[in-house]
């Protein structure tokens, strides 16, 4: 293998030590059908000399038998191992491969591009830090390219490689490359990516994969491998608040009672105070027990057993946290939902909501909006169909501990399971609490003799837009800027959070004056009102039927 050196022969222990100290990067390839995802990863493995002799012999034989390159090496066959994949020439299941270089270790997930298998793509993206989004240089951006980009933004991936593939088929045309790059950057601007690196490549020929290509002298950026080796995506889970979802209560005898689980974030030491999120009971960590003995400190990712100084009630599905940083504990989480089943979502139908270590019956009370993956606009819908993405409000049979997904993937995600077929029908990501970027902007005009006039004049582009009025104590009037009226006319929605029913009159008056519709729901100690433009009659059974907005 190319990255192996004489160190293996001279000092195998030193070599193994160097491998342990390398950082690990998980990344995915995604995009539309036949954009070359499997071929790209196959080429990476080939050029990195990560194909063993027996694999090489099988690859050469398979390429002649079922390959698509006229008997030449078909690199996609290194990933597409299922018979159905080889017969149809598409990727169906997620294929994971490991490889390494002198600088870093990698786990890559080759995800399917076909719309029917979008659910598999979400699985591959859930643990990745970087997404390599492929685009066919001949076709430009397609609907599935946009859908995958929106999905990777939802699951928390912040670094994007826009790999514009098959440049050899357009004569390595710089103008077409720049046009596709500009289109993508314009589309992805609201998605919040930290970096977008566009590369002109040919996965089949190896252009700009490992080495710079002589065919693109106009391109001065990094190769794909150089980018993957140098991109900074360090795991910062240790710096977050401590979270331990309890998986099992270990009671082998009368003298031992431990709480087992994998630390989702943060660090813990003996003597630290902890709280049970569901009951609020507190205690102190006595020991951190592992198979290899007690630890003085445990960090995110470690599977441990904690013993406490006090006998308190903790069971599977509970969460242990720090005293000063409790998670969300609610029956009514709001979440982005990716629907993965052929049968559409049925608001009000009972599903099983599986979180980190617990399973709770619950239902989607209503879909607040769906996202048009081509324009990122919010559409008023009554349900979600296969591969649709929307914002939904859930009602669980009992309160459950969550973190916002943007803060903690492990404790901010869940899946919905059909109770009868046991099929996974949806993946959910709990919405962040409204921050300054998500809140609607309020302009205020004060007068000592009249109720305060509040003008709504700016909203975020793709998130749930929240107007928080819970801190307003006196009388006020609401008004909309013209830009916000146009925003609502496109089918977008705005959620008002109210302190009590006394504030409802102002929102209702605004809806009446502007010919808008609204739905009301009780949440916690206050209330929520969803404001939207109803252009047509609502679908049968949609609306506030007592299950909430």
């Amino acid at each position: 293998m190319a990255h192996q050196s004489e160190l293996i022969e001279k000092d195998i222990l030193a070599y193994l030590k160097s491998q342990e100290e390398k950082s690990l990067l998980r990344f995915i390839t995604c995009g539309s059908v036949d954009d070359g995802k499997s071929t790209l990863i196959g080429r990476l493995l080939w050029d990195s000399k990560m194909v063993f002799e027996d694999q090489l012999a099988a690859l050469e034989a398979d390429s002649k038998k079922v390959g698509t390159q006229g008997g030449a090496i078909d690199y996609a066959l290194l990933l597409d191992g299922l018979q159905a994949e080889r017969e149809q020439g598409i990727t169906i299941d997620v294929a994971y491969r490991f490889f390494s270089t002198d600088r870093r270790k990698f786990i890559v997930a080759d995800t399917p591009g076909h719309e029917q298998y979008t659910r598999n793509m979400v699985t591959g993206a859930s643990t990745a830090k970087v997404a390599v989004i492929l685009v066919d240089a001949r076709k430009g951006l397609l609907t599935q390219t946009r859908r995958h980009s929106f999905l990777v933004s939802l699951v928390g991936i912040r670094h994007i490689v826009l790999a514009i593939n098959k440049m050899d088929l357009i004569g390595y045309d710089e103008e077409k490359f720049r046009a596709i790059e500009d289109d993508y950057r314009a589309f992805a601007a609201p998605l919040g990516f930290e970096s977008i690196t566009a590369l002109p490549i040919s996965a089949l020929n190896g252009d700009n994969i490992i080495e710079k290509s002589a065919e693109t002298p106009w391109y001065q950026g990094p190769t794909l491998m150089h980018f993957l080796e140098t991109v900074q995506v360090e795991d910062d889970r240790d710096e977050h608040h401590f979270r331990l979802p309890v998986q099992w209560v270990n009671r082998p005898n009368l003298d031992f009672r431990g709480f087992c689980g994998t630390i989702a974030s943060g660090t813990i030491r003996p003597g630290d105070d902890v709280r049970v999120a569901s009951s609020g009971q507190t205690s102190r960590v006595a020991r951190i027990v592992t198979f290899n003995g007690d630890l003085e400190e445990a960090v995110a990712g470690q599977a441990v057993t904690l013993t406490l100084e006090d006998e308190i009630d903790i069971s599977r599905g509970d969460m242990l946290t720090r005293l000063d940083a409790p998670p969300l504990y609610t029956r009514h989480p709001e979440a982005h939902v990716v629907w993965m089943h052929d049968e559409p979502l049925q608001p009000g139908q009972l599903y099983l909501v599986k979180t980190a270590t617990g399973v709770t019956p619950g239902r989607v009370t209503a879909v607040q909006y769906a996202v048009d993956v081509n324009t990122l606009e919010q559409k008023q819908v009554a349900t979600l169909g296969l591969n649709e993405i929307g914002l939904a409000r859930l009602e669980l049979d009992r309160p459950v501990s969550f973190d916002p997904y943007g803060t903690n993937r492990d404790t901010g995600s869940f899946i919905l399971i059909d109770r009868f077929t046991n099929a996974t029908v949806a993946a959910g990501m709990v919405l962040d609490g409204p921050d300054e970027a998500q809140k609607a902007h309020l302009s205020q005009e004060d007068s000592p003799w009249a109720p305060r006039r509040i003008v709504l004049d700016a909203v975020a582009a793709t998130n749930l837009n929240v107007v928080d009025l819970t801190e307003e104590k006196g009388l006020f009037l609401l008004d909309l800027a013209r830009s916000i009226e146009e925003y609502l006319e496109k089918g977008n929605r705005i959620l008002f959070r109210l302190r009590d029913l006394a504030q409802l009159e102002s929102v209702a008056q605004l809806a009446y004056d502007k010919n808008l519709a609204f739905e009301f729901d009780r949440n916690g100690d206050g209330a929520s009102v969803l404001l939207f433009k109803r252009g047509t009659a609502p679908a049968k059974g949609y609306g506030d039927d007592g299950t909430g907005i």
Side-chain angles (χ1 to χ4, degrees):
M1 299 178 187
H3 67 281
Q4 292 183 343
S5 64
E6 296 179 357
L7 186 61
I8 300 178
E9 299 179 2
K10 294 180 179 179
D11 191 344
I12 184 63
L13 294 179
Y15 173 77
L16 293 175
K17 181 65 175 178
S18 69
Q19 292 295 307
E20 290 180 359
E21 294 175 350
K22 288 181 184 178
S23 63
L24 173 67
L25 175 67
R26 293 177 178 267
F27 70 97
I28 65 166
T29 59
C30 50
S32 192
V33 178
D34 202 32
D35 281 344
K37 298 178 292 298
S38 299
T39 302
L40 173 63
I41 300 178
R43 187 81 203 200
L44 270 176
L45 297 175
W46 178 274
D47 289 348
S48 301
K49 302 297 187 292
M50 290 298 296
V51 181
F52 297 97
E53 290 185 2
D54 58 336
Q55 290 178 309
L56 176 60
L59 178 63
E60 291 175 343
D62 291 342
S63 296
K64 294 176 182 178
K65 181 180 178 181
V66 296
T68 61
Q69 304 303 321
I73 294 294
D74 186 353
Y75 301 105
L77 297 180
L78 284 169
L79 284 301
D80 294 339
L82 298 177
Q83 181 176 350
E85 292 178 321
R86 297 187 170 193
E87 289 175 350
Q88 300 178 51
I90 62 173
T91 301
I92 296 175
D93 200 4
V94 180
Y96 294 93
R97 291 293 183 272
F98 170 86
F99 67 99
S100 68
T101 66
D102 285 334
R103 304 180 67 174
R104 189 173 251 173
K105 297 179 289 188
F106 303 91
I107 295 177
V108 54
D110 179 32
T111 62
H114 197 284
E115 183 176 356
Q116 180 180 352
Y117 304 112
T118 298
R119 68 197 82 178
N120 295 350
M121 177 266 168
V122 177
T123 301
S126 61
T127 58
K129 295 291 186 179
V130 173
V132 179
I133 297 179
L134 276 85
V135 176
D136 190 326
R138 302 167 300 170
K139 302 175 183 177
L141 304 187
L142 302 175
T143 298
Q144 194 69 341
T145 313
R146 294 183 172 92
R147 178 180 284 111
H148 282 186
S149 298
F150 185 56
L151 282 170
V152 299
S153 75
L154 285 185
V155 300
I157 296 175
R158 291 292 172 259
H159 299 277
I160 300 296
V161 176
L162 180 65
I164 301 176
N165 192 24
K166 305 185 181 181
M167 290 294 295
D168 53 313
L169 300 183
I170 63 168
Y172 300 94
D173 189 322
E174 180 183 5
E175 185 176 341
K176 291 184 179 178
F177 168 80
R178 299 299 180 194
I180 294 174
E181 179 185 5
D182 291 344
D183 287 347
Y184 186 83
R185 290 186 183 277
F187 163 78
L191 297 181
F193 297 130
E194 291 183 18
S195 69
I196 300 176
T197 304
L199 279 69
I201 67 169
S202 170
L204 187 62
N205 298 332
D207 293 304
N208 294 320
I209 304 298
I210 303 293
E211 302 290 341
K212 285 287 188 72
S213 172
E215 303 289 349
T216 57
W218 43 266
Y219 174 68
Q220 303 301 318
T223 63
L224 176 60
M225 181 60 78
H226 182 265
F227 175 87
L228 295 174
E229 286 184 326
T230 58
V231 62
Q232 297 299 315
V233 287
E234 299 304 325
D235 191 347
D236 60 352
R237 290 186 300 167
D238 292 350
E239 301 174 4
H240 293 166
H241 299 306
F242 173 70
R243 299 286 187 265
L244 177 68
V246 177
Q247 185 174 4
W248 180 47
V249 180
N250 185 4
R251 191 71 186 269
N253 54 60
L254 294 177
D255 300 321
F256 186 91
R257 187 166 184 246
F259 306 101
C260 310
T262 300
I263 299 176
S265 62
T267 59
I268 194 71
R269 299 175 183 84
D272 287 349
D273 293 325
V274 293
R275 178 196 301 271
V276 183
S278 58
S279 65
Q281 291 181 294
T282 62
S283 185
R284 182 167 294 156
V285 177
R287 297 171 56 195
I288 303 175
V289 182
T290 70
F291 178 79
N292 295 317
D294 287 11
L295 301 179
E296 291 301 316
E297 181 183 57
V299 299
Q302 287 186 288
V304 298
T305 298
L306 300 185
T307 65
L308 305 181
E309 294 182 356
D310 305 293
E311 291 287 340
I312 58 178
D313 183 23
I314 304 175
S315 58
R316 176 182 171 89
D318 282 333
M319 187 184 296
L320 294 176
T321 73
R322 294 283 191 186
L323 301 187
D324 57 347
L328 303 173
Y329 185 62
T330 178
R331 290 184 57 222
H332 300 281
E334 292 173 335
H336 286 111
V337 172
V338 182
W339 192 253
M340 301 177 173
H341 201 264
D342 295 330
E343 295 294 326
L345 167 66
Q346 299 294 330
Q349 179 176 323
L350 195 63
Y351 296 98
L352 297 178
V353 181
K354 187 178 188 310
T355 55
T357 57
V359 178
T360 307
R363 57 191 58 78
V364 175
T365 54
V367 179
Q368 296 183 1
Y369 63 75
V371 177
D372 186 323
V373 295
N374 287 303
T375 64
L376 299 183
E377 290 186 348
Q378 302 165 4
K379 304 180 296 182
Q380 182 183 334
V381 296
T383 185
L384 294 176
L386 178 64
N387 295 327
E388 286 192 315
I389 307 161
L391 186 82
R393 184 180 178 86
L394 281 75
E395 180 182 304
L396 309 180
D397 281 11
R398 61 177 177 82
V400 173
S401 299
F402 294 100
D403 283 298
Y405 184 84
T407 302
N408 194 319
R409 286 186 176 187
D410 294 323
T411 58
S413 58
F414 61 88
I415 59 174
L416 298 182
I417 301 172
D418 187 284
R419 295 184 303 142
F420 301 105
T421 66
N422 209 35
T424 299
V425 297
M429 290 140 282
V430 176
L431 192 71
D432 290 342
D435 56 24
E436 294 306 315
Q438 290 176 298
K439 287 184 180 179
H441 184 263
L442 301 177
S443 296
Q444 301 166 357
E445 299 181 14
D446 297 323
S447 168
W449 301 283
R452 201 154 70 92
R453 183 167 176 263
I454 300 176
V455 181
L456 191 64
D457 62 2
V459 291
T462 61
N463 295 308
L464 173 66
N465 301 296
V466 178
V467 180
D468 192 343
L469 299 172
T470 55
E471 299 301 320
E472 290 291 329
K473 303 300 183 184
L475 297 176
F476 60 87
L477 299 175
L478 294 173
D479 199 2
L480 299 180
R482 179 56 194 161
S483 61
I484 305 305
E485 293 186 48
E486 294 173 352
Y487 181 78
L488 291 169
E489 288 170 358
K490 294 178 180 179
N492 297 308
R493 298 175 157 203
I494 297 176
L495 183 70
F496 289 83
R497 298 194 186 279
L498 309 181
R499 186 184 70 255
D500 51 41
L501 286 180
Q503 297 179 321
L504 180 61
E505 182 179 353
S506 298
V507 181
Q509 185 66 48
L510 173 66
Y512 180 80
D513 293 341
K514 301 296 183 180
N515 195 26
L516 299 171
F518 71 88
E519 294 177 354
F520 170 82
D521 188 30
R522 173 77 180 269
N523 76 329
D525 296 329
S528 296
V529 175
L530 194 66
L531 199 67
F532 57 94
K533 184 78 172 181
R534 194 191 299 279
T536 57
K540 183 177 181 181
Y542 180 65
D544 188 4
D545 57 358
T547 59
I549 59 175

